[in-house]
Amino acid sequence: MSTTASDASFVPRPEDPLAALASLPGVPGVVDSVRQAVDRVYGHRVMRRRSNEVTSEAALRAARGSAALTGADWALEEVRRRSDFGAEAEARTVGAALRLTAECGQLLSIWVQSPVRVLARLHLVAAGGAGVPGETVGRPRLAGEPVVETPGAEAAGPLVETPLPSAEEVAGRLNGLSALVVAASTAPALVTAAVVHGELLALRPFGSYNGLVARAAERVVLIGSGLDPKSVCPAEVGHAELGRAAYAAAFDGYLSGTPDGMAAWIIHCGRAIELGARESTAVCEALQRGAA
């Protein structure tokens, strides 16, 4: 029997895996809670006339939080004060995090077409000025190349000590992740951001700074999706506030691949965004009082 155009219209569409994750227990509730938290920030009167200041402050705090999770836990005022970020490992990590938060908003149009190109750019931005061997910067690692998350540092390694995926597996899964992003899932931004974040942490696709890149990619998704277009709800702040132990435990759920584990990771990422939104609400209040 021949297949006509009319017949083709009855072929079921492939399931949207990200949309399926959005229906896991607990996820719809945290999606709603995140939206409400974000709306509160955007509804603040300070955002109508001083949103650029709030965005700048959020970027600074996001960088501090992301660097802290990578092992460079500096006070906010130290990050604000310093101008030299090339002296030693922690300073290079903070500098890399600052560069990434500044770069994220510039990559939105490329992200929806080629996420892998954006990830390469993010690694170039992070590692290019941080003393990383030039031949490993801005590209996924090759077979046999090691991963040194924080070059020159004695502490802070991968969140969970799992076997390093092979370069071949990394390439395949990056292509799969890219296809999911380009396909424009109907899933809420939180779900897509959490999966992008978790998959990059799991793959460790680059020779260094994978955590910083993963959290920057989460930021790109949240901005580009329209959930947080002005980038004033820094999830990195929340991840740092919840703590490295809780971050690692939630990520272990992602690695498990079980429905409960995936839900726990998405919910954790949602709580982090809520805490980031709370932080920026406090910034708005301080600006309104003239205290910042």
Side-chain angles (χ1 to χ4, degrees):
M1 184 175 72
S2 63
T3 301
T4 65
S6 177
D7 294 328
S9 68
F10 292 95
V11 176
R13 295 181 60 189
E15 182 182 1
D16 182 343
L18 296 180
L21 292 175
S23 64
L24 291 173
V27 173
V30 79
V31 167
D32 289 342
S33 183
V34 165
R35 168 52 68 188
Q36 291 170 22
V38 172
D39 286 347
R40 280 194 292 272
V41 179
Y42 279 84
H44 199 286
R45 65 175 62 186
V46 166
M47 286 292 293
R48 291 197 290 271
R49 60 187 186 278
R50 302 180 71 178
S51 64
N52 288 343
E53 293 174 69
V54 181
T55 295
S56 295
E57 189 64 23
L60 185 73
R61 294 173 188 230
R64 193 218 73 82
S66 193
L69 287 168
T70 306
D73 193 359
W74 288 15
L76 179 64
E77 291 312 311
E78 178 68 6
V79 178
R80 195 190 305 278
R81 179 187 68 82
R82 286 282 289 267
S83 58
D84 176 16
F85 296 100
E88 36 77 29
E90 285 196 4
R92 290 196 296 269
T93 296
V94 175
L98 286 167
R99 291 191 298 273
L100 283 171
T101 56
E103 185 75 8
C104 287
Q106 312 302 314
L107 302 172
L108 304 179
S109 62
I110 305 172
W111 175 257
V112 296
Q113 300 173 15
S114 180
V116 174
R117 283 179 56 200
V118 170
L119 295 175
R121 173 63 185 171
L122 290 174
H123 188 252
L124 176 64
V125 168
V132 176
E135 67 272 12
T136 68
V137 172
R139 62 156 174 79
R141 55 187 168 82
L142 303 178
E145 290 184 341
V147 172
V148 180
E149 187 63 19
T150 310
E154 297 180 359
L159 286 171
V160 179
E161 294 292 343
T162 56
L164 193 66
S166 68
E168 183 179 8
E169 181 180 353
V170 167
R173 287 173 62 177
L174 280 180
N175 286 336
L177 181 64
S178 180
L180 283 178
V181 171
V182 172
S185 169
T186 60
L190 165 61
V191 173
T192 302
V195 169
V196 167
H197 183 172
E199 189 69 357
L200 294 173
L201 285 182
L203 291 178
R204 288 160 281 169
F206 301 104
S208 58
Y209 296 120
N210 290 290
L212 293 181
V213 169
R215 291 183 288 276
E218 178 183 51
R219 169 179 280 260
V220 170
V221 174
L222 295 174
I223 299 170
S225 67
L227 176 65
D228 183 20
K230 294 182 182 293
S231 195
V232 295
C233 301
E236 301 94 330
V237 168
H239 288 305
E241 184 173 334
L242 291 166
R244 186 176 169 90
Y247 187 59
F251 176 55
D252 196 36
Y254 179 87
L255 288 176
S256 75
T258 65
D260 286 348
M262 295 296 293
W265 171 247
I266 295 167
I267 291 168
H268 182 88
C269 290
R271 299 300 180 217
I273 298 169
E274 290 182 72
L275 290 171
R278 187 182 70 180
E279 183 91 351
S280 286
T281 299
V283 169
C284 289
E285 294 294 331
L287 287 169
Q288 186 168 274
R289 296 193 306 269

